[in-house]
Amino acid sequence: MRTALLGTIAEPDRPRDFIAEWERRLVFELRYNPESAEAVARARRIVRALQRTAGEDTDVSA
């Protein structure tokens, strides 16, 4: 089944690396939406929270 928004195949049971997905989102926000301090801060907070949950302690201040 294809998703309506992206037209990609839906794989709801496929394991996902949410840390990597949100790190990519943070890079996207920094590159294409740097004037939105709120969006950048939100993505950074989510990455930090996911890393803490996973037991990682990585700096995402860049």
Side-chain angles (χ1 to χ4, degrees), residues 1-3 8-18 21:
M1 170 193 286
R2 297 220 175 257
T3 63
T8 57
I9 296 175
E11 299 176 277
D13 296 329
R14 179 178 58 89
R16 288 171 172 75
D17 181 351
F18 284 104
E21 288 188 29

Side-chain angles (χ1 to χ4, degrees), residues 7-43:
T8 57
I9 296 175
E11 299 176 277
D13 296 329
R14 179 178 58 89
R16 288 171 172 75
D17 181 351
F18 284 104
I19 295 174
E21 288 188 29
W22 275 98
E23 286 172 338
R24 284 191 296 275
R25 177 61 183 254
L26 176 57
V27 169
F28 175 88
E29 294 295 349
L30 288 167
R31 181 175 294 147
Y32 297 107
N33 199 16
E35 68 281 352
S36 178
E38 182 179 333
V40 170
R42 180 183 320 116

